[in-house]
Amino acid sequence: MSKRPPRGAIGRIRVAVASALRRAEPPPRVVDWAIAVAVAVEVVSGLYSFTRGAPSGAWVFWLHSAVGLTLAGLVGFKLYRVRRRVTARAAWDRFTPLSVLQAIVTLAALGTGVFWVLGGNVPVLAWTTLNLHVGLGLLLVPLVLWHLRGRFHSPRDVDLDRRAALRTGALLVAGTLAWRATEAADRTLDGATRRFTGSKPTGDLYETETEGGGFPVTSWVADDPDPVDREAWTLSVRGLVEDELDLPYDDLAGDAPEREVEATLDCTSGWYTHQRWGGVRVGDLLDSAGASDDARYVRFTSVTGYRWSLPIEEARDALLATHVRGEPLSHGHGAPARLVAPGRRGFQWVKWVETVEVRERGDPMQWLVTLISGFE
Ligand SMILES: Nc1nc2c(c(=O)[nH]1)N[C@H]1C(S)=C(S)[C@@H](COP(=O)(O)O)O[C@H]1N2
Ligand SMILES: [Mo]
């Protein structure tokens, strides 16, 4: 190949950019390992973020954004480095198709994340772009593991000297600055209506699916019971209590709810709604039943089996809601009663609650049960 001297201003800029990029690029194996680590951080922080609904958890979302944009830079370097191995068919080996697929999924995961943050949403069937982002991110786990099987270099071979470490650190700084820039861009484009969780206010997200209080009815996967008959239903309070209770609807709600609270329902599909909820304070229920001193957790179980548990102090302040905006709950929103757990994400707000159980331990199986609830 012959190298011609660059001509004109554009040529000179191109050369300057190329040489700056060359100076910024960490060594290949450092890039590869940094990608693996960044993907791991993204998957863990992304999943962990599902459990953060109060502003004290905002750092998880910041970390996820900054590392995500750093990953974009790393992937850029990597794709540039291997471009010839992909474009020349003769250079393909049996792992190349998988690598190409991995590159596509990675770019799609990053792209949907950034698109969402900038206010975009193109729903596909029941999926928001945020759901799609989560799905693509999770798909990366098996792909990266498989890729490591085919292209593994021991971390001991990684030439992470001072300079490589500085370059990698500089990329992280660039990723963080890029994240600040997307936040600023979002404020101008979208008026910063997103919560720190990334969720957007409802109304326009799912115009067709609103019912009752004017916010979406969302059920996790296949949980879709028949309407619960208020007259036949009772709320059972069980477990570590002096007196087990079976409360009919009228004892719970009477003519008007005992207590009203304002709380934000924030679904991991990416929407939130701030509502006034009416019902009974769970602490009052526990006091009527006489919760034991050994009690540490309270578990709320739906007629469908879907369930969640909260540490007892938090549970006491939660609400078993029968009303929203002064109206009895609609079926879709969990009538006769649903959990309102301020500071928790929507999937933890169990609908159609029929049992409240006072327990000594938490319930690790609840994670699995919520995922598969409704598939019988
Ligand atoms: N029993 C049961 N409770 C549930 C769900 C479910 O599928 N089954 N979905 C959860 C999810 S993911 C969310 S976001 C909220 C949605 O509440 P809404 O339908 O009133 O908006 O309910 C939660 N409670
Ligand atoms: Mo949700």
Side-chain angles (χ1 to χ4, degrees):
M1 268 203 306
S2 69
K3 276 214 167 142
R4 267 182 289 145
R7 250 181 289 153
I10 295 193
R12 275 197 298 278
I13 290 171
R14 248 170 59 201
V15 169
V17 168
S19 90
L21 285 177
R22 226 174 302 118
R23 259 178 285 130
E25 182 178 7
R29 285 186 188 169
V30 174
V31 170
D32 291 354
W33 270 103
I35 288 176
V37 170
V39 169
V41 168
E42 288 305 85
V43 170
V44 171
S45 61
L47 288 175
Y48 181 64
S49 78
F50 276 11
T51 68
R52 302 291 91 185
S56 61
W59 65 271
V60 190
F61 298 87
W62 300 340
L63 178 76
H64 190 79
S65 309
V67 172
L69 289 166
T70 306
L71 177 60
L74 290 163
V75 169
F77 279 126
K78 165 104 192 182
L79 290 179
Y80 187 73
R81 167 158 59 85
V82 301
R83 68 194 182 284
R84 299 246 156 64
R85 272 197 260 150
V86 178
T87 49
R89 266 318 294 257
W92 280 43
D93 64 18
R94 69 196 177 92
F95 284 105
T96 311
L98 185 81
S99 306
V100 171
L101 177 66
Q102 195 191 346
I104 292 169
V105 174
T106 307
L107 293 176
L110 290 167
T112 48
V114 171
F115 183 63
W116 179 265
V117 161
L118 292 179
N121 181 37
V122 180
V124 179
L125 304 176
W127 283 39
T128 60
T129 298
L130 187 63
N131 289 138
L132 204 61
H133 171 70
V134 173
L136 290 163
L138 291 176
L139 189 59
L140 274 181
V141 176
L143 289 176
V144 168
L145 290 177
W146 203 343
H147 188 100
L148 281 173
R149 253 191 70 191
R151 306 256 193 245
F152 187 79
H153 293 291
S154 162
R156 257 173 303 161
D157 300 342
V158 172
D159 25 12
L160 187 64
D161 55 16
R162 207 178 113 83
R163 207 162 103 211
L166 279 175
R167 288 180 178 192
T168 312
L171 270 181
L172 191 59
V173 170
T176 308
L177 292 175
W179 158 61
R180 298 301 305 177
T182 56
E183 292 283 296
D186 175 49
R187 266 195 298 280
T188 357
L189 292 173
D190 211 30
T193 50
R194 283 182 308 117
R195 282 189 90 209
F196 66 92
T197 57
S199 293
K200 300 169 186 177
T202 47
D204 49 351
L205 262 184
Y206 291 84
E207 268 149 18
T208 53
E209 282 183 46
T210 53
E211 180 198 332
F215 57 97
V217 167
T218 312
S219 288
W220 198 245
V221 214
D223 230 40
D224 184 21
D226 290 332
V228 180
D229 178 2
R230 277 195 179 81
E231 302 305 315
W233 175 88
T234 56
L235 179 75
S236 309
V237 182
R238 296 275 182 276
L240 301 174
V241 291
E242 267 159 44
D243 304 301
E244 297 192 332
L245 306 178
D246 288 287
L247 300 168
Y249 182 80
D250 286 341
D251 285 13
L252 209 66
D255 296 329
E258 256 170 45
R259 192 186 170 83
E260 288 208 308
V261 299
E262 281 190 17
T264 304
L265 170 53
D266 184 343
C267 175
T268 47
S269 319
W271 57 266
Y272 70 86
T273 184
H274 192 74
Q275 299 284 347
R276 191 161 43 86
W277 308 90
V280 198
R281 191 173 168 268
V282 173
D284 292 347
L285 281 178
L286 299 191
D287 291 341
S288 331
S292 132
D293 291 340
D294 300 332
R296 294 283 172 278
Y297 284 89
V298 180
R299 180 164 78 179
F300 302 85
T301 308
S302 170
V303 298
T304 65
Y306 190 107
R307 63 191 199 223
W308 204 262
S309 48
L310 301 176
I312 192 159
E313 285 316 316
E314 185 184 352
R316 281 184 167 280
D317 281 331
L319 194 74
L320 213 51
T322 49
H323 288 64
V324 63
R325 288 192 196 167
E327 296 291 326
L329 288 176
S330 64
H331 167 60
H333 290 309
R338 67 118 27 107
L339 180 61
V340 166
R344 294 278 180 160
R345 299 303 292 273
F347 73 91
Q348 295 158 317
W349 294 33
V350 182
K351 298 194 280 194
W352 313 292
V353 171
E354 67 174 358
T355 312
V356 173
E357 238 180 304
V358 183
R359 297 160 52 94
E360 215 179 299
R361 285 161 209 260
D363 177 14
M365 285 299 285
Q366 68 195 8
W367 287 95
L368 187 64
V369 170
T370 50
L371 275 179
I372 61 171
S373 186
F375 291 111
E376 240 95 349

